[in-house]
């Protein structure tokens, strides 16, 4: 553009991460698939001199409004996808040919994370068509047109294969996913919420906040010989066909009903090496639950689950929305990990540590030797001890010369007491820091990790030293909520700590972004007290 101070080759600006661009050979229109950051993915028709707004806007949505937009008004995308639909768009091609007449003139693009493919047609002035045309298991990174006019797709997970988009000209018989919870085969008696033999109940130390509802959790493996691969840090790994079950219950404000009442059961199933989520909504009589439509649902329940009677908003997530939290960066499975399951469970009257139980019953593939050192580092971190103690502590733990060596074929050979364990909010036997950091890990780390959905530089993994979390005395990237003194955490001053203030908000600027309509008052108290304690510790250090 002929503008002073602008390089002549600059055509447009304000795109975050174009992946990929293509030119329509018939019209010359340039299509761009643009990767967003926190919540949106965009498709653009490139225009000369356009300002696409990054990082003041994420597509057409506010992102950093405190930053200067630039000399041109915002140009919005042709369309965008929320992260409940797509997580990493791959721009495609404009198809012209007779092999796929229904797609002639359409722009085809896909999503690396969900494998979905869309077709759009635009006449340069308005959108004529936009629809999903395929749902695949591919990690799509590119599209191309073959020599015979066939549409080719490159899959990042495949080393040797290039896939072809084939029109579905025949009526394919596909087994329908069970429409009722009673049809899934997971329950002996749905009305009593009684599971089939072999379905394993479990619980976690630091649960995800879901507006105070009760939760029952289970693992359904494919056979008696199925194994779980236990990892020391992060999510465990499961075999194809595994189903993870979570039911949500409320204390409904209806004296004619037994309490509590189930409102939703969610299934996370591993299919074709990918995890897929489904939600079932319970009927009022509690006799069964019915599959929620793919786009999700909203409801309001009258409850006194959290004290006085009130109307509780409840969201049944869409299929894609499930994967916003159960993301590839978080390794899909959130609660099933060593630090969360290191606690006792009542197995029909027999109380036993869950790790011990799963190891004793042969459900785990485990290896102690590979994890001893990291286990000790994690334990020292949550105790607030120096990591310089690792060599000396390892020396203490090592067997004396001449003694039988510790077993190396079991992840928990030293026992649950020496294995990392998250702390519940109400576990006053644990330190404030352990309780606060466990909560932040359980509720925030699925996004605030490397390659996660959160663009802030915070890292909430429980095994990081506090200074590596990048939250203490660090300025927030998404505004200070009107407080010029605001930092993510200002030691000793909770009211100047934006991390805490966002926990107190519901709606715009709330954290976590989805999954909650009520403030977690117990968590707020623990985080507030921890921030105060951080200030006291800083004062002591200064005086020393």
């Amino acid at each position: 553009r002929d503008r002073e101070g602008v390089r002549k080759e600059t055509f447009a600006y304000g795109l975050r991460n174009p992946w990929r661009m293509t030119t329509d050979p018939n019209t010359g229109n340039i299509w761009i698939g643009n990767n967003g950051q926190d919540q949106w993915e965009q498709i653009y028709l490139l225009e000369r001199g356009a300002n696409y707004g990054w990082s003041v806007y994420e597509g057409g949505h506010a992102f950093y409004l405190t930053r200067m937009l630039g000399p041109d008004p915002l140009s919005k995308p042709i369309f965008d996808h929320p992260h409940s639909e797509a997580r990493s768009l791959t721009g495609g091609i404009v198809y012209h040919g007779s092999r796929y007449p229904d797609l002639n003139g359409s722009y085809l693009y896909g999503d690396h994370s969900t494998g979905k493919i869309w077709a759009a047609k635009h006449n340069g002035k308005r959108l004529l068509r936009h629809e999903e045309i395929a749902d695949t298991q591919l990690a799509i990174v590119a599209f191309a047109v073959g020599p015979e006019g066939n549409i080719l797709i490159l899959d990042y997970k495949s080393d040797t294969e290039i896939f072809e988009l084939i029109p579905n000209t025949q009526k394919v018989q596909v087994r329908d996913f069970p429409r009722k919870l009673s049809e899934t085969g997971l329950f002996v008696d749905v009305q009593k919420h009684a599971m089939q033999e072999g379905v394993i109940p479990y619980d976690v130390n630091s649960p995800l906040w879901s507006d105070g509802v009760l939760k029952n959790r289970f693992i359904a493996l494919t056979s008696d010989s199925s194994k779980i691969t236990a990892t020391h840090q992060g999510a465990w790994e499961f075999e194809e066909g595994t189903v993870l079950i979570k039911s949500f219950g409320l204390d409904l404000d209806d004296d004619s009903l037994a309490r509590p009442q189930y409102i939703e059961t969610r299934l996370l199933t591993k299919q074709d090496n990918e995890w897929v989520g489904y939600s079932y909504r319970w009927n009022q009589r509690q006799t069964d639950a019915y599959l929620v439509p793919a786009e999700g649902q909203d409801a309001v329940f009258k409850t006194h689950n959290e004290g006085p009677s009130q109307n509780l908003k409840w969201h049944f997530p869409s299929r894609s929305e499930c994967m916003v939290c159960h993301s590839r960066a978080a390794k899909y499975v959130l609660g099933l990990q060593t630090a969360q399951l290191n606690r006792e469970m009542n197995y029909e009257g027999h109380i036993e540590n869950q790790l011990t139980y799963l190891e004793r019953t042969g459900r785990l593939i485990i290896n102690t030797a590979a994890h001893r050192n990291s286990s000790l580092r994690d334990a020292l971190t949550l105790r607030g001890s120096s990591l310089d103690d690792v060599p000396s502590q390892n020396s203490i733990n090592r067997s004396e010369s001449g003694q039988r060596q510790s077993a190396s074929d079991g992840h928990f050979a030293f026992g649950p007491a020496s294995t990392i364990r998250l702390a519940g909010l109400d576990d006053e036997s644990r330190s404030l820091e352990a309780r606060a950091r466990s909560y932040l890990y359980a509720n925030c780390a699925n996004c605030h990790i490397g390659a996660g959905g959160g663009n802030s530089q915070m890292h909430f993994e429980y095994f990081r030293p506090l200074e590596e979390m990048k939250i203490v005395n660090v300025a927030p990237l998404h505004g200070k909520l009107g407080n010029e003194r605001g930092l993510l955490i200002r030691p000793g001053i909770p009211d100047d700590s934006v991390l805490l203030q966002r926990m107190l908000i519901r709606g715009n600027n709330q954290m976590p972004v989805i999954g909650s309509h009520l403030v977690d008052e117990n968590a707020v108290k623990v985080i507030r007290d921890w921030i105060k304690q951080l200030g006291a510790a800083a004062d002591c250090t200064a005086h020393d």
Side-chain angles (χ1 to χ4, degrees), residues 74-114:
L74 176 70
S75 292
K76 294 186 178 181
I78 297 298
F79 38 81
D80 52 16
H81 293 272
H83 276 183
S84 59
E85 296 177 354
R87 293 302 299 269
S88 181
L89 285 187
T90 295
I93 56 171
V94 180
Y95 178 75
H96 293 284
S98 58
R99 185 161 181 172
Y100 312 94
D102 289 344
L103 298 179
N104 188 45
S106 295
Y107 172 63
L108 308 180
Y109 68 100
D111 185 57
H112 176 273
S113 293
T114 66

Side-chain angles (χ1 to χ4, degrees), residues 325-344:
C325 291
H326 294 277
S327 64
R328 180 175 278 115
K331 298 184 179 179
Y332 303 108
V333 181
L334 302 180
L336 280 154
Q337 49 188 280
T338 299
Q340 283 281 31
L341 269 71
N342 188 4
R343 58 171 292 161
E344 290 186 337

Side-chain angles (χ1 to χ4, degrees), residues 7 23 63 67 74 89 155 163 206-207 228 291 294 402 407 439 487 489 495 528:
R7 295 182 66 93
T23 301
F63 194 77
R67 295 180 174 176
L74 176 70
L89 285 187
D155 175 31
F163 293 84
S206 184
I228 304 167
L291 186 65
Y439 181 87
L487 299 173
I489 288 181
D495 290 344
R528 181 182 294 276

Side-chain angles (χ1 to χ4, degrees), residues 228-237 331 336-339 355 364-367 371 374 411-412 419-420 462:
I228 304 167
T229 301
T231 56
H232 181 64
Q233 296 172 356
W236 289 356
E237 298 177 6
K331 298 184 179 179
L336 280 154
Q337 49 188 280
T338 299
L355 303 182
L364 296 182
I365 299 173
I366 47 186
N367 185 343
H371 300 123
S374 58
H411 189 102
F412 314 113
T419 301
I420 193 70
Y462 63 86

Side-chain angles (χ1 to χ4, degrees), residues 37-38 65 76 161 193 197 199 217 366 395 450 482 496:
Q37 178 67 52
D38 276 7
L65 290 183
K76 294 186 178 181
E161 295 177 304
H193 208 275
E197 184 178 356
V199 175
R217 305 170 179 86
I366 47 186
S395 178
D496 288 347

